[in-house]
């Protein structure tokens, strides 16, 4: 029995958390049952695909599962995302069910700058210039082309798979390299880049209200009370104790208070995004799958005191479940970790890299600016200031806005023009707002799954699954069968 340690990020095809593109502050520890570590393979990749004079190369990690493969059958290429490859995907997941039925070869390719795939000596801002979606897509194209020749797969039909950010890449791979990839399953894929993703917390609020209309009202009461208390120096000691902070809270600027308030809201963001997902082979240290019901029942428990106290009780519960002694909400420590450019730094697990991609291409900043949600205190201004604080003044608000505009111009946003791409997404997943939820054409359908969260269709099936989730998986299989006739 192996022990695996990783953090929640926003994605899923690379982790069983699926990049919701949300980075939890808790360390997740899981046990893997009946799992055999696959062999690591390495592909010699180019550092810069867009400069023929640049001869630098690096080794990109990938896994292969040929259990079901028959010569001439399709090749399924799972795209890695904003974290290290999780090799359990080579034995678990709906894509393997499809592979068994279609005799497909399964390959899982790690994203540049994540996991063990290091194109440069460090994570300096200058080196992160090569961390672009265009470079990642060119990696996929070069890998598919060269491996096709090496493994005699040039005539096979390749299908790209991905969830969250990797789902976006799967769609863009089909869009930009249609001669290399025959189709794509782009699950929970944000297709439109935005600076201020205020709708994220609106969906969180709606998800809480669907369970209990009082839940978001109680959260708002607690959040508003906390914001008022933060303005009183006499309350800082109490807040630090109630929320079990690793050190006494220091409020020297709005960045300090914003970082603290965002950390607390993150408990709800994380749970809603992955509500009732099926990590069937993973069991948390306490054996608990925290759901919306768990959070809202705590918020409704008057025996714990006023809503502020219940809000603190949720943090205490999360710390206990994930075996953490305290909650670190120091913005200065966050900046220190994020500014470490070594591959051994705490933020090198994907946090620094994804922050760069957010500032340089996508935005996706989940602020509390909307009045249609219960949280307070972390605004668009706060999120944009992080870009400057970590990567320098060149990453100011104007530069981020221009970068996001360029991303949408390059790929088309929600108006993608392509064929043989399916977009499954869940109604409870906040990222569905930026994804495609209605058919664009007969060849580019959307599968909008009511009541499910981020990348739900990618997990292994189970008896408790909603009927509409089961139908969604079957519909994807039918599409694949039709495409591959």
């Amino acid at each position: 029995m192996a022990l695996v340690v990783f953090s929640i990020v926003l994605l899923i095809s690379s982790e069983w958390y699926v990049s919701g593109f949300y980075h939890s502050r808790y360390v997740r520890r899981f046990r893997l049952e009946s799992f055999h570590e696959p062999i690591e393979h390495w592909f010699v990749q180019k550092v810069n695909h867009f400069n023929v004079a640049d001869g630098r190369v690096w080794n990109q990690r990938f896994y292969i599962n040929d259990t079901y493969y028959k010569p001439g059958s399709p090749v399924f290429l799972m795209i890695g995302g904003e974290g290290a490859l999780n090799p359990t995907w080579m034995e678990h997941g709906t894509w393997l069910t499809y592979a068994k039925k279609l005799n497909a070869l399964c390959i899982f390719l790690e994203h540049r700058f994540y996991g063990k795939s290091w194109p440069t000596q460090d994570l300096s801002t200058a080196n992160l210039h090569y961390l672009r979606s265009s470079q990642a897509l060119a990696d996929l194209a070069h890998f598919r082309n060269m491996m096709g020749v090496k493994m005699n797969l040039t005539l096979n039909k390749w299908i790209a798979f991905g969830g969250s950010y990797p789902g976006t890449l799967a769609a863009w791979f089909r869009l930009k390299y249609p001669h290399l990839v025959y189709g794509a399953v782009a699950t929970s894929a944000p297709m439109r880049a935005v600076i201020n993703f205020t709708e994220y917390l609106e969906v969180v609020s709606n998800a809480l209200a669907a369970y209990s209309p009082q839940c978001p009202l109680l959260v708002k009461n607690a959040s508003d009370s906390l914001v008022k208390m933060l303005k009183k120096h006499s309350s800082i000691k109490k807040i630090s104790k109630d929320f079990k902070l690793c050190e006494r809270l220091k409020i020297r600027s709005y960045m300090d208070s914003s970082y603290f308030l965002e950390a607390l809201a993150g408990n709800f963001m994380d749970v809603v995004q992955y509500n009732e997902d099926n990590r069937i082979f993973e069991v948390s240290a306490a054996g608990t799958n925290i759901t919306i019901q768990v959070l809202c029942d705590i918020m409704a428990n008057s025996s714990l005191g006023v809503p502020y106290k219940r809000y603190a009780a949720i943090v205490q519960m999360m710390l206990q479940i994930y075996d953490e002694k305290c909650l670190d909400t120091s913005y200065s420590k966050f900046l220190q970790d994020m500014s470490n450019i070594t591959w051994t730094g705490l933020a090198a697990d994907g946090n620094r890299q994804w922050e760069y991609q957010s500032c340089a291409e996508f935005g996706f900043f989940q602020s509390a600016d909307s009045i249609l949600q219960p949280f307070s205190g972390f605004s668009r201004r706060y999120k944009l200031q992080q870009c400057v604080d970590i990567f320098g003044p060149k990453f100011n608000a104007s530069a981020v806005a221009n970068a996001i505009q360029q991303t949408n111009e390059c790929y088309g946003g929600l108006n993608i023009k392509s064929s043989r791409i399916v977009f499954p997404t869940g109604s409870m997943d906040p990222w569905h707002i930026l994804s495609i939820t209605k058919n664009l054409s007969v060849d580019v359908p959307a599968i909008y799954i009511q009541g499910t969260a981020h990348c739900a269709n990618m997990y292994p099936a189970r008896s408790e699954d909603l009927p509409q989730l089961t139908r969604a998986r079957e519909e994807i299989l039918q599409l694949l069968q039709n495409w591959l006739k």
Side-chain angles (χ1 to χ4, degrees), residues 217-365:
L217 300 179
L218 291 165
V219 172
K220 178 172 174 53
N221 182 302
S223 181
D224 289 348
S225 297
L226 189 56
V227 169
K228 292 178 181 178
M229 292 175 66
L230 286 172
K231 297 177 181 178
K232 301 177 181 178
H233 182 73
S234 58
S235 299
I236 297 300
K237 182 177 180 180
K238 174 178 173 56
I239 293 171
S240 301
K241 180 181 178 181
D242 289 344
F243 288 91
K244 299 193 70 172
L245 303 188
C246 295
E247 60 183 52
R248 181 168 175 153
L249 189 62
K250 297 180 179 67
I251 306 297
R252 290 158 295 198
S253 73
Y254 80 97
M255 296 300 289
D256 294 311
S257 59
S258 295
Y259 188 74
F260 170 65
L261 292 167
E262 183 191 27
L264 304 184
N267 291 325
F268 291 81
M269 298 161 72
D270 188 18
V271 168
V272 169
Q273 181 167 306
Y274 304 107
N275 188 56
E276 296 186 353
D277 59 8
N278 181 21
R279 305 178 190 193
I280 191 169
F281 55 93
E282 297 177 336
V283 182
S284 72
T288 301
N289 182 16
I290 304 173
T291 64
I292 291 171
Q293 178 179 346
V294 172
L295 297 188
C296 287
D297 285 351
I298 292 175
M299 290 305 302
N301 188 351
S302 59
S303 68
L304 296 173
V306 297
Y308 162 87
K309 284 286 190 181
R310 305 171 208 175
Y311 204 47
I314 285 175
V315 171
Q316 295 165 15
M317 174 198 67
M318 299 285 271
L319 289 171
Q320 181 180 5
I321 285 176
Y322 295 113
D323 195 26
E324 298 290 327
K325 294 181 180 179
C326 58
L327 181 65
D328 187 354
T329 60
S330 167
Y331 183 66
S332 60
K333 186 177 184 301
F334 165 75
L335 286 184
Q336 180 181 347
D337 291 341
M338 293 293 282
S339 299
N340 187 335
I341 65 172
T342 68
W343 283 107
T344 57
L346 292 176
D349 62 351
N351 283 275
R352 177 173 168 83
Q353 298 95 307
W354 182 250
E355 188 77 17
Y356 178 85
Q357 289 193 265
S358 299
C359 297
E361 284 195 274
F362 306 128
F364 296 145
F365 299 130

Side-chain angles (χ1 to χ4, degrees), residues 12-14 74-81 89 93-99 102 104-109 140 157-171 173-174 181 183-187 189 422 424 457-458 473 476-477 479-480 483-484:
I12 199 175
S13 90
S14 66
V75 179
F76 288 175
L77 178 60
M78 177 76 83
I79 301 171
W89 277 101
T94 302
W95 78 309
L96 292 177
T97 302
Y98 301 152
L102 298 171
L105 176 68
C106 294
I107 302 176
F108 191 9
L109 182 66
L140 293 169
K157 294 178 179 177
W158 289 58
I159 306 293
F161 285 79
S164 198
Y165 166 55
T168 306
L169 290 178
F173 188 27
R174 170 64 185 152
V181 60
V185 180
T187 297
V422 57
N457 57 283
M458 295 182 70
R473 292 192 180 104
I476 295 168
L477 175 60
L479 282 167
L480 292 172
W483 292 348
L484 295 168

Side-chain angles (χ1 to χ4, degrees), residues 7 10 94 139 154 163 192 238 266 283 325 336 414 454 459 471:
S7 301
L10 227 136
T94 302
D139 286 341
T154 56
R192 179 170 64 91
K238 174 178 173 56
V283 182
K325 294 181 180 179
Q336 180 181 347
L414 297 178
H454 200 57
Y459 294 114
R471 288 195 298 270

